[in-house]
Amino acid sequence: MLTSRYLGDFFALLVGALLPLAFAPFGWYPLAVLSPFLLACLWLDVSPARAGWRGFLYGVGMFGVGVSWVNVSFYSFGGMPLLAALGLTAGFIFILSLYPLLLGWFITRYFPQHTFVKWLLVLPCAWVFLEWVRSWFLSGFPWLSLGYSQIDSPLAGFAPVVGVYGVSLAVIFSAGVLVTVGLMGRWRILVLSLLPAVWVAGWLLMQESWTQSIDNPIKVALIQGNIPQEFKWLEGKREESVRRYAELSQQNLDADLIIWPETAIPWFYEHMRTLFEWMALQHKNAQVDFLVGVPYSTADGRYFNSVTNVSSAPVRFYHKHHLVPFGEYIPFSRFIGAILNFLNAPLSEFSAGESVQENLFAARQSIGISICYEDAFGERVRTSLPEATLLVNVSNDAWFGDSIAPHQHLEIARMRALEAGRYLLRATNTGISAIINPQGKLEALSPQFQVHVLRAEVHPYQGVTPYIQWGDIFVVLLTAGGILLGLGLRYKVRQPLV
């Protein structure tokens, strides 16, 4: 009995560690159904405390494998001592693991009997509701939400309708069907038929075109300078970095739009007037527009991670709104700033831009901008729509080295393009730069860790997907309502499946 208990704990850790294989760069998307199914099996006939513990171990395996790359940022590029970086990474993983802990405890505490309500209603709704909470609570970290793993599966068809959390709901409902079928004494075929019904519905939705192309194609050039992170902010390397981007741009002046990635200019806009005058001259002579990542400072001492335009439209700035905690600002700095200083954490204190900002205009288009991590938040990208005819994300994934993080980040960007029904142009410092079409498919990719210019022709799009119209509110209300309905039915539906 004791051996079986601890063996189940070990399997919870192992099953969680398998889940990241469903995401990029591996893409084994059926594991996103199989892994939660196996976890649910490990929650059968155990106490709420044991289910919570196994949920925690599942989270340690899931996040320990799936987001361990944060240690690269802390140690290799953040300048932290190794032990401090490992400790902060472990703490981060343990905090994220509290979500499956809570789920396991809740499912077994309030739904001890195995019923349809438990596995087909409460489990899917509670899982996805907690994914949504994780996307905003304490600044939010939506990485490894199940829906992202399905960008190349038939379930991706749900994304333009109900967003990534709606896709997650289809995934975990599929896992709930498998659990229910395994426990049933009869009606198995009927319940099992729900599985192909969901997946076929996703495939049918993929055939729907929610948006339409407009205007002539635009020739774009995404400049990937491949500036090593350890050199990027060195004063002696600043001129060399800017010269590289300028020379690569000079070779691609036949484009309609040239895009430089996040903080491609490693100095404040105010100090780079000569460079922007050069861009304005290229715009005048070659009719080429620019979107450029550059820090921006204000007279009152605030500074922003920004993107600006050089075009026939007035110069505007998009200031990054959703900042990265411990990377761009220190949360609770009044209380923990001294501790982080002791740990030698070289952190920045960027200010956040407004939650809703005007789109930038370039190449005759209204362009929705997101900077780096912001494209992980569908509601953030949604603020530029439906006015935006193109989406642009500028990033610097050099912070994550040669890890799985840039591949996961690209997968997330693909989901944003699919939800919006727009081309998304992703310009990065060291890769992976990409051209993503409105179906979330990759049309062109850059190699990582190479100087590269990614060229393509893209179409502006207009129109409104259901997700752009309603955002996450539908899934949030659906899952919250499902949990409440399940709690209301738990005393009325007592007939177990076995």
Side-chain angles (χ1 to χ4, degrees):
M1 180 73 173
L2 193 63
T3 302
S4 173
R5 179 187 304 171
Y6 289 113
L7 187 61
D9 294 348
F10 169 76
F11 276 119
L13 182 68
L14 178 62
V15 168
L18 288 176
L19 181 59
L21 299 179
F23 298 83
F26 312 102
W28 300 347
Y29 63 79
L31 282 176
V33 176
L34 180 61
S35 176
F37 160 71
L38 294 174
L39 174 64
C41 292
L42 294 170
W43 281 339
L44 296 174
D45 304 321
V46 298
S47 69
R50 179 61 58 176
W53 173 241
R54 288 181 177 177
F56 179 78
L57 291 173
Y58 181 88
V60 170
M62 170 185 172
F63 294 110
V65 172
V67 301
S68 58
W69 41 261
V70 298
N71 186 66
V72 178
S73 302
F74 293 145
Y75 175 63
S76 298
F77 301 115
M80 279 189 173
L82 178 59
L83 288 179
L86 290 174
L88 195 55
T89 300
F92 181 61
I93 290 168
F94 290 162
I95 289 172
L96 292 175
S97 300
L98 296 177
Y99 289 97
L101 180 156
L102 178 61
L103 178 65
W105 176 85
F106 174 77
I107 285 288
T108 51
R109 167 66 177 81
Y110 292 100
F111 300 90
Q113 292 184 310
H114 305 312
T115 64
F116 292 103
V117 170
K118 178 178 182 177
W119 298 116
L120 297 182
L121 177 64
V122 178
L123 174 66
C125 289
W127 185 299
V128 174
F129 187 79
L130 285 175
E131 277 195 350
W132 173 74
V133 171
R134 179 160 60 87
S135 75
W136 58 263
F137 185 63
L138 294 178
S139 179
F141 188 76
W143 236 260
L144 299 187
S145 294
L146 288 180
Y148 289 118
S149 67
Q150 304 302 302
I151 191 67
D152 291 314
S153 91
L155 295 183
F158 288 105
V161 181
V162 286
V164 68
Y165 299 114
V167 181
S168 291
L169 190 61
V171 173
I172 196 65
F173 179 80
S174 299
V177 169
L178 294 180
V179 176
T180 304
V181 169
L183 292 172
M184 289 185 68
R186 55 180 179 172
W187 307 110
R188 288 184 175 180
I189 300 300
L190 179 61
V191 174
L192 186 59
S193 67
L194 295 173
L195 194 60
V198 169
W199 286 68
V200 169
W203 180 83
L204 290 173
L205 286 171
M206 289 179 68
Q207 316 311 310
E208 181 67 32
S209 297
W210 303 98
T211 56
Q212 308 80 38
S213 64
I214 58 172
D215 211 345
N216 296 319
I218 298 168
K219 293 183 290 185
V220 298
L222 281 54
I223 311 296
Q224 182 174 298
N226 194 40
I227 307 298
Q229 188 61 30
E230 56 268 31
F231 297 153
K232 184 175 176 66
W233 297 101
L234 294 179
E235 186 174 351
K237 296 286 186 178
R238 188 179 300 150
E239 185 177 342
E240 178 184 337
S241 298
V242 173
R243 185 185 303 115
R244 178 178 297 180
Y245 278 99
E247 290 175 350
L248 292 170
S249 298
Q250 184 74 48
Q251 298 165 16
N252 291 274
L253 293 178
D254 61 318
D256 299 310
L257 177 62
I258 294 175
I259 305 175
W260 292 17
E262 179 186 14
T263 57
I265 301 175
W267 196 232
F268 293 113
Y269 175 84
E270 295 75 18
H271 301 290
M272 304 300 293
R273 296 292 185 183
T274 302
L275 176 64
F276 283 97
E277 288 172 0
W278 173 82
M279 290 183 188
L281 182 62
Q282 307 315 307
H283 164 72
K284 179 179 178 181
N285 294 337
Q287 288 75 54
V288 59
D289 292 352
F290 291 83
L291 290 174
V292 181
V294 58
Y296 180 85
S297 63
T298 61
D300 60 2
R302 295 183 302 157
Y303 52 97
F304 299 88
N305 186 351
S306 306
V307 172
T308 189
N309 62 310
V310 178
S311 66
S312 55
V315 174
R316 289 179 180 162
F317 291 86
Y318 171 83
H319 301 311
K320 187 177 183 182
H321 171 72
H322 202 123
L323 302 177
V324 179
F326 302 108
E328 292 173 316
Y329 79 103
I330 308 173
F332 315 115
S333 58
R334 180 182 302 178
F335 305 103
I336 67 174
I339 298 174
L340 291 172
N341 287 335
F342 173 76
L343 293 175
N344 189 33
L347 303 170
S348 300
E349 271 296 328
F350 281 102
S351 297
E354 297 296 326
S355 59
V356 178
Q357 302 178 48
E358 292 186 25
N359 293 342
L360 300 187
F361 285 84
R364 307 178 307 279
Q365 304 302 320
S366 174
I367 300 179
I369 304 291
S370 59
I371 299 178
C372 196
Y373 177 66
E374 286 188 311
D375 67 353
F377 303 89
E379 290 285 1
R380 170 84 247 133
V381 173
R382 182 171 163 262
T383 62
S384 68
L385 295 158
E387 291 79 15
T389 54
L390 284 175
L391 299 177
V392 168
N393 174 257
V394 296
S395 292
N396 180 28
D397 287 347
W399 283 105
F400 310 125
D402 189 15
S403 69
I404 60 177
H407 303 275
Q408 293 174 341
H409 198 178
L410 175 61
E411 186 172 62
I412 288 170
R414 294 176 61 191
M415 184 62 71
R416 297 290 88 82
L418 179 58
E419 289 172 343
R422 302 289 195 278
Y423 268 94
L424 189 149
L425 314 179
R426 187 168 189 267
T428 68
N429 175 28
T430 59
I432 308 167
S433 301
I435 307 295
I436 307 170
N437 71 20
Q439 292 74 46
K441 304 301 181 184
L442 296 168
E443 291 196 350
L445 281 176
S446 71
Q448 275 188 287
F449 309 113
Q450 294 182 30
V451 177
H452 188 81
V453 179
L454 191 63
R455 294 293 305 262
E457 289 192 359
V458 302
H459 283 271
Y461 270 68
Q462 68 178 9
V464 180
T465 66
Y467 176 76
I468 293 306
Q469 185 169 8
W470 301 107
D472 293 327
I473 187 65
F474 175 77
V475 172
V476 172
L477 292 177
L478 179 65
T479 54
I483 295 169
L484 294 175
L485 178 61
L487 289 170
L489 292 175
R490 67 192 175 111
Y491 296 116
K492 298 180 180 180
V493 182
R494 291 180 171 272
Q495 183 63 38
L497 296 170
V498 290

